[in-house]
Amino acid sequence: MSENQKMGLTARIMIGMVLGVVLGLTLQAILGKNKEILIPLGLFDLPIKGFFVDGLFHIGGQIFIASLKMLVVPLVFISLVCGTCSLSDPKKLGRLGGKSIGLYLITTAIAITVAITLALLIAPGGGVEIPSSASFDAKQAPTLVQVIINMFPTNPIDAMANGNMLQIIVFALLFGIAMALSGDAGARLAAVFEDLNTVVLKLVTLLMNVAPYGVFCLMAKLFTTIDMGLIAELGKYFMVVLAALLIHAFINYSILFKLLTGLSPIIFLKKMKDACMFAFSTSSSSATMPVTLETATKKLGAHNSVASFTIPLGATINMDGTAIMQGVATVFIAQVFAVDLTINDYLMVILTATLASVGTAGVPGVGLIMLAMVLNQVGLPVEGIALIIGVDRLLDMTRTAVNITGDCMVTCVVAKSENEFDIDVFNDPDAAKELEETTSKKNI
């Protein structure tokens, strides 16, 4: 057995991530302020940035992201149809929806409260000068009424083609309910969907085998091109957001998980390692969804009938990491522009950001749209967003990992409350290694 086969998936992803970061920072140091450096190879000169950064690393990273996104729509639709048609009690869907949305809103409110409190204590905006070139064009957010109307697809095939997750969820739920009520015809079709689900999950497993290489390419390109000087200039803001994210992920989620399930939060966090690394490297809850769903069912023990509903929903409306950024950014921008906000203003920020997480679900660039809404609500200049965009890419990676941790936490809580949770799988340390062992035995 080769060393690659012996090594677990988590270790290989971590090695890929570390090597990518080191190589990226090294290339950035070599390139310096030069746009390009050529390596003479006799017949031609090889451009470092053009060939490696914009070439190999860019291609490898984008193919990896595209491969993950390729699985999202079929996985969500097939898995959700399977879960829905297997429900013996149709009223259960209403309970699942109510519990899931309620918990997602509660965790979002807690997240932004922690962020605002921490930002007020540390004051990250003190001493930061306003650049004269600061500007930001804020897009208009849709109304809650429009979002509700847009949840129902006029053309489900178009919704799948465009990756409109809320419309896909609604159509899959209706399709699954219709299958459950269709007698023998529904049963025959359910068997087909179960087989499709097995095949798609196997595809997820195969894709995870190449994850270390995809993560390496993503990290190498990011850390070659990221402006470390901006992070230094906005160091206090950066560290406050990062601290709030870590507090929410390790403390708030652990407390909620223990209180609502009675299970060990340490086991939960350990089993989230792979999914969090995927989320960190892709910066996309949607792209990470295949791994998140696999983690919730195969490692944590949530039944597919619950996870297939709560994970796609969470990837769409769970904005805990984004809410933390908004809380800190609001305090930061208020301090930079010397605007004093009252307690009522901060309460309005918490309320607006929490409700906006549902009201802007499925909208591209949702984080910045939500932040523009929050700033407008309390009378702060939207141009302040331009101050933080430079460091947002790296923070986005961390908050995506926090978001998918919240998705799995809520999934476990809802599944246990519905008696759709396998405690033996959760407590079994070998369950956390199941995917690693499967992928380690296969080479593509």
Side-chain angles (χ1 to χ4, degrees):
M1 185 177 287
S2 68
E3 289 300 315
N4 183 59
Q5 290 174 316
K6 291 179 182 178
M7 193 175 297
L9 178 65
T10 302
R12 287 188 285 132
I13 293 176
M14 183 61 73
I15 290 171
M17 185 178 294
V18 172
L19 289 178
V21 171
V22 172
L23 180 60
L25 293 175
T26 303
L27 287 176
Q28 185 176 123
I30 291 172
L31 293 171
K33 294 182 180 180
N34 298 319
K35 293 183 178 180
E36 187 59 277
I37 291 181
L38 301 177
I39 302 175
L41 294 178
L43 295 176
F44 62 94
D45 294 334
L46 182 69
I48 292 180
K49 188 172 186 297
F51 182 78
F52 291 103
V53 181
D54 298 330
L56 291 179
F57 299 155
H58 178 69
I59 292 170
Q62 291 308 305
I63 288 176
F64 176 59
I65 294 289
S67 300
L68 285 172
K69 289 183 175 180
M70 170 187 71
L71 295 176
V72 171
V73 171
L75 179 66
V76 170
F77 178 69
I78 294 170
S79 183
L80 195 48
V81 168
C82 289
T84 305
C85 71
S86 67
L87 292 177
S88 55
D89 180 12
K91 294 180 181 178
K92 190 172 183 178
L93 277 177
R95 293 201 307 272
L96 288 179
K99 290 177 183 178
S100 302
I101 293 173
L103 281 170
Y104 285 135
L105 290 178
I106 288 170
T107 58
T108 300
I110 292 172
I112 195 168
T113 302
V114 168
I116 289 175
T117 303
L118 201 61
L120 288 173
L121 290 174
I122 300 177
V128 177
E129 296 183 2
I130 308 172
S132 57
S133 59
S135 63
F136 181 77
D137 182 21
K139 296 180 181 179
Q140 186 66 35
T143 63
L144 183 57
V145 172
Q146 193 60 45
V147 170
I148 294 173
I149 293 172
N150 290 340
M151 285 173 59
F152 294 85
T154 56
N155 184 342
I157 305 301
D158 183 65
M160 293 180 189
N162 292 316
N164 190 319
M165 204 51 61
L166 283 179
Q167 292 188 356
I168 295 170
I169 290 172
V170 170
F171 179 67
L173 290 175
L174 294 175
F175 195 83
I177 292 171
M179 281 174 55
L181 300 175
S182 297
D184 292 339
R188 290 193 297 270
L189 194 54
V192 174
F193 268 84
E194 289 293 344
D195 290 342
L196 285 172
N197 195 43
T198 301
V199 172
V200 172
L201 290 177
K202 179 59 68 176
L203 190 55
V204 173
T205 304
L206 292 174
L207 181 60
M208 290 175 72
N209 203 38
V210 299
Y213 309 103
V215 169
F216 168 79
C217 290
L218 288 169
M219 293 297 101
K221 181 179 181 183
L222 173 65
F223 281 88
T224 303
T225 55
I226 196 169
D227 190 345
M228 303 303 289
L230 273 177
I231 295 176
E233 291 176 15
L234 297 173
K236 193 179 281 190
Y237 166 81
F238 185 89
M239 294 309 297
V240 171
V241 176
L242 189 60
L245 288 168
L246 294 176
I247 289 171
H248 192 60
F250 290 102
I251 298 178
N252 295 344
Y253 283 152
S254 295
I255 293 173
L256 286 171
F257 187 79
K258 183 66 176 178
L259 288 176
L260 298 175
T261 67
L263 301 173
S264 168
I266 295 176
I267 294 176
F268 169 76
L269 291 172
K270 280 183 178 179
K271 293 192 174 187
M272 287 300 303
K273 286 187 298 183
D274 285 350
C276 285
M277 281 191 283
F278 268 87
F280 183 82
S281 58
T282 62
S283 298
S284 170
S285 295
S286 294
T288 312
M289 199 187 303
V291 183
T292 310
L293 187 55
E294 190 86 340
T295 299
T297 55
K298 302 294 185 182
K299 295 185 181 183
L300 296 173
H303 291 181
N304 187 63
S305 59
V306 173
S308 61
F309 175 77
T310 56
I311 295 296
L313 184 67
T316 308
I317 72 169
N318 179 31
M319 304 288 180
D320 289 3
T322 304
I324 286 172
M325 178 272 289
Q326 291 165 355
V328 177
T330 300
V331 176
F332 174 79
I333 291 169
Q335 291 170 349
V336 169
F337 286 90
V339 177
D340 291 325
L341 299 180
T342 65
I343 294 295
N344 288 336
D345 289 329
Y346 288 120
L347 291 175
M348 186 59 65
V349 169
I350 294 170
L351 181 63
T352 303
T354 302
L355 295 179
S357 66
V358 176
T360 54
V363 179
V366 62
L368 295 178
I369 291 176
M370 286 172 62
L371 181 54
M373 289 173 59
V374 169
L375 295 178
N376 282 327
Q377 191 68 41
V378 292
L380 290 173
V382 177
E383 292 78 16
I385 295 177
L387 300 174
I388 62 172
I389 285 180
V391 299
D392 194 60
R393 177 67 178 86
L394 201 54
L395 290 172
D396 188 31
M397 300 163 71
T398 309
R399 63 176 181 257
T400 303
V402 172
N403 284 343
I404 65 105
T405 303
D407 295 345
C408 285
M409 189 277 291
V410 169
T411 297
C412 290
V413 171
V414 173
K416 195 166 188 302
S417 71
E418 293 288 333
N419 294 318
E420 297 283 347
F421 188 83
D422 194 330
I423 295 179
D424 291 335
V425 171
F426 178 82
N427 288 322
D428 184 4
D430 293 331
K433 299 176 182 178
E434 180 180 342
L435 296 179
E436 297 180 22
E437 292 173 352
T438 303
T439 53
S440 294
K441 293 175 182 177
K442 292 181 174 66
N443 287 317
I444 295 177

